Amino acid sequence: MATSAVSLEDVPSVDIMTELLRRLKCSSKPDKRLVLIGPPGSGKGTQSPIIKDEYCLCHLATGDMLRAAVAAKTPLGVKAKEAMDKGQLVSDDLVFGIIDEAMKKPSCQRGFILDGFPRTAVQAQKLDEMLEKQGTKIDKVLNFAIDDSILEERITGRWIHPSSGRTYHTKFAPPKAHGVDDVTGEPLIQRKDDTPEVLKSRLDAFHRQTEPVIEYYAKKGILAQLHAEKPPKEVTAEVQKALSS
């Protein structure tokens, strides 16, 4: 069977040493299993890489994982593609299968950040049941609470470099040269759903779906409310405080 695994002999020594040092640093970190809840533009995308690096966790975004499983043609990915091609929603069972598969990777050994999932109280309950079978549980849920009017200003000014995912903002984080990426000089794009009309319907759906999820975790005593309207560094400080308690 063909394998895409890279031989260690072909990896530069500096890369091996960097990874070894990273793993040594990670071995002293506590395990963390986190859920991030927040509407589009609330800052989850800014904070999750910081949390991931600080605690040596893997970042599990269900949309990205579904696309990766479909691209890799895994058995679950094939089933997910069949549903997508028919215009159907991917079933919870398939999503949980993909999450379960991802959690077994070495990068998830010290824990994970679940981003944008669970979206419903039923999914939250199923997630608890799945983790219980593995002898683990969610340690903390970070709720990026923010007023909808602030989100509109944040999102409608957002521009993205498609290939790297780097994001800019006309007001808060403009590129050095208008309309182009700082690193590559390639043009930036605005996503079709970053308009006030689309944002309103997305936020309505978000609040309707996730309020029961927030209540579910609040009752379990593991919910941390973040003031997501604050500058990123202040939100990072809030995150660190929540995760150290």
Side-chain angles (χ1 to χ4, degrees):
M1 192 168 109
T3 177
S4 59
V6 177
S7 167
L8 281 177
E9 290 172 357
D10 297 330
V11 180
S13 299
V14 67
D15 292 349
I16 293 175
M17 290 307 295
T18 303
E19 177 60 14
L20 276 172
L21 289 168
R22 188 191 72 81
R23 292 196 185 197
L24 275 170
K25 185 194 84 164
C26 290
S27 64
S28 63
K29 300 279 183 182
D31 291 4
K32 296 266 180 205
R33 290 166 190 84
L34 312 174
V35 169
L36 269 50
I37 296 174
S42 59
K44 296 197 315 288
T46 302
Q47 299 300 327
S48 55
I50 299 168
I51 303 167
K52 175 180 180 280
D53 291 345
E54 176 63 26
Y55 293 96
C56 305
L57 309 176
C58 65
H59 179 241
L60 304 177
T62 46
D64 294 345
M65 288 191 296
L66 275 170
R67 284 186 285 274
V70 168
K73 296 187 169 73
T74 67
L76 289 168
V78 170
K79 285 183 183 172
K81 188 176 187 302
E82 283 170 10
M84 289 171 178
D85 288 348
K86 289 175 187 167
Q88 298 168 350
L89 284 173
V90 177
S91 73
D92 278 1
D93 286 346
L94 271 179
V95 174
F96 277 107
I98 286 167
I99 291 171
D100 191 33
E101 221 168 53
M103 284 176 182
K104 289 170 183 159
K105 290 179 180 173
S107 58
C108 296
Q109 193 180 350
R110 303 216 69 84
F112 55 79
I113 300 165
L114 260 178
D115 186 349
F117 189 90
R119 290 176 187 269
T120 67
V122 170
Q123 288 175 343
Q125 207 167 345
K126 277 189 183 177
L127 177 64
D128 279 350
E129 288 164 9
M130 184 181 91
L131 293 175
E132 202 178 326
K133 285 175 188 167
Q134 298 172 7
T136 61
K137 61 180 173 52
I138 296 296
D139 298 304
K140 192 71 78 175
V141 177
L142 302 176
N143 182 31
F144 287 72
I146 186 167
D147 193 81
D148 286 0
S149 59
I150 298 169
L151 288 177
E152 185 171 337
E153 184 181 37
R154 279 188 183 183
I155 285 185
T156 53
R158 188 163 64 177
W159 289 80
I160 293 165
H161 178 239
S163 59
S164 71
R166 276 185 289 276
T167 58
Y168 299 88
H169 193 282
T170 47
K171 180 179 176 182
F172 306 116
K176 288 170 188 166
H178 177 70
V180 296
D181 177 48
D182 287 352
V183 179
T184 63
E186 292 168 352
L188 303 174
I189 62 154
Q190 189 164 39
R191 288 189 349 199
K192 286 174 187 167
D193 52 3
D194 283 355
T195 63
E197 301 75 29
V198 175
L199 177 63
K200 187 183 182 309
S201 67
R202 285 174 77 197
L203 288 175
D204 288 347
F206 171 81
H207 294 309
R208 198 170 53 248
Q209 274 193 323
T210 54
E211 266 162 26
V213 180
I214 292 164
E215 280 173 32
Y216 176 85
Y217 286 124
K219 282 177 187 167
K220 292 178 86 74
I222 56 171
L223 184 77
Q225 294 278 17
L226 305 175
H227 299 87
E229 77 285 351
K230 289 183 177 179
K233 282 184 180 173
E234 288 181 38
V235 178
T236 301
E238 281 196 21
V239 168
Q240 287 169 341
K241 190 179 174 186
L243 296 184
S244 61
S245 63

